[in-house]
């Protein structure tokens, strides 16, 4: 277009007026061109600035969105990593806790076994000491009861000794409880006759029993009483010995073939040697008036033997307890 305009201008007349007009036109054209160029430049710069601003805004928004997506991805990955790390740590902690629990349980079981052994040994030791102390108390009470039967008084009160024996035995000693139950209540109330008094009373009882040896338990006529009394007077000789078979076996199973004199002879033999049990066996086999005459001595001797046997049983029991828990 510029070339066409230039050719058109060249074909025009070259006079001054035309030249001047042409110069004016050129100036106007140049001014219009520069104005238009300026407007186009300004419009271009404006569009350039707008596009640049738009692009910057779009880039900024894109970068912001990308950054947000990146942050979100990072947060998700971080959260996932935290969850995985938490799961691993939780698993490790659970495994460590389970291992410690297992170890603690094993140690606790071992400690329980050891504690049980210690407790058992301690209980055994305490039981041994308790039983040893109880055996000493039983021995002391039994010895006191046995010593009471050997005193020289006509009648010995043994209620104090029996009470001490009950206290020493306690509630769990069945043997001592059985022994104590076998003692009659009359012995507790009245007391017991000692061995020395029994030996002394036996001779008086024997004289009376010999004088009524021929009298039945239901009684007899006067001639029988006189004959029995005379027989007792004539039997002034008292033999100290008895057959060897009775010495070897103090308590005979069959005494029916013995008369009153033989029974009293054997009873006197064992009384003088301190065997009250054998003497009581023969006295218990007496019949008739002789048995009635010997009733008081028989009762006292039986009570004495019951107390003595109880004391000996307690002493043996106490000795066994002492030996068991030494």
């Amino acid at each position: 277009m510029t070339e066409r305009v230039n050719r058109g201008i060249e074909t025009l007349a070259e006079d001054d007026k035309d030249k001047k007009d042409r110069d004016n036109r050129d100036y106007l054209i140049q001014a219009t061109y520069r104005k238009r160029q300026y407007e186009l430049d300004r419009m271009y710069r404006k569009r350039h600035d707008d596009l640049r601003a738009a692009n910057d805004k779009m880039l900024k928004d894109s970068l912001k969105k990308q950054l947000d997506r990146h942050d979100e991805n990072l947060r998700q990955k971080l959260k996932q990593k935290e969850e995985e790390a938490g799961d691993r740590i939780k698993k490790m902690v659970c495994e460590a806790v389970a291992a410690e629990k297992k170890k603690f349980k094993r140690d606790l079981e071992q400690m329980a076994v050891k504690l049980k052994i210690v407790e058992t040994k301690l209980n055994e030791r305490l039981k041994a000491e308790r039983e040893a102390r109880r055996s000493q108390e039983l021995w002391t009470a039994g010895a006191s009861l046995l010593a009471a039967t050997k005193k020289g008084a006509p009648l010995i009160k043994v209620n104090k000794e029996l009470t001490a024996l009950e206290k020493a035995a306690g509630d769990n000693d069945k043997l001592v409880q059985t022994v104590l139950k076998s003692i009659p209540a009359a012995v507790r109330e009245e007391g017991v006759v000692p061995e020395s008094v029994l030996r002394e009373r036996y001779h008086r009882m024997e004289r009376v029993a010999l004088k009524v040896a021929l009298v039945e338990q239901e009684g007899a006529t006067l001639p029988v009483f006189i004959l029995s009394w005379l027989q007792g007077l004539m039997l002034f000789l008292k033999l100290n010995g008895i057959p060897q078979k009775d010495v070897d076996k103090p308590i005979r199973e069959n005494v029916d073939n013995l008369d009153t004199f033989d029974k009293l002879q054997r009873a006197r033999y064992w009384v003088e040697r301190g065997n009250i049990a054998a003497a009581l066996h023969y006295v218990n086999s007496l019949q008739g008036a002789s048995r009635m005459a010997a009733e008081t001595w028989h009762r006292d001797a039986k009570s004495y033997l019951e107390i003595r046997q109880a004391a000996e049983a307690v002493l043996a029991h106490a000795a066994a307890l002492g030996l068991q828990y030494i």
Side-chain angles (χ1 to χ4, degrees), residues 203-271:
H203 297 291
R204 295 199 298 267
M205 179 274 296
E206 184 185 30
R207 288 194 295 270
V208 176
L210 286 174
K211 291 178 181 179
V212 295
L214 300 178
V215 181
E216 298 293 336
Q217 187 172 358
E218 292 80 8
T221 60
L222 183 59
V224 175
F225 274 102
I226 295 174
L227 181 62
S228 178
W229 180 72
L230 291 174
Q231 181 181 253
L233 289 178
M234 289 185 294
L235 291 175
F236 61 89
L237 181 62
K238 295 182 179 180
L239 300 177
N240 292 327
I242 60 174
Q244 185 61 38
K245 61 180 181 179
D246 291 332
V247 176
D248 297 336
K249 190 175 184 181
I251 298 178
R252 294 177 55 176
E253 297 179 359
N254 186 11
V255 295
D256 295 337
N257 58 346
L258 299 177
D259 57 16
T260 301
F261 305 100
D262 293 332
K263 294 176 182 178
L264 291 174
Q265 181 186 11
R266 286 159 176 76
R268 182 176 67 252
Y269 178 85
W270 292 118
V271 165

Side-chain angles (χ1 to χ4, degrees), residues 264-283:
L264 291 174
Q265 181 186 11
R266 286 159 176 76
R268 182 176 67 252
Y269 178 85
W270 292 118
V271 165
E272 292 176 350
R273 285 156 181 78
N275 193 343
I276 303 298
L280 183 64
H281 171 69
Y282 289 104
V283 172

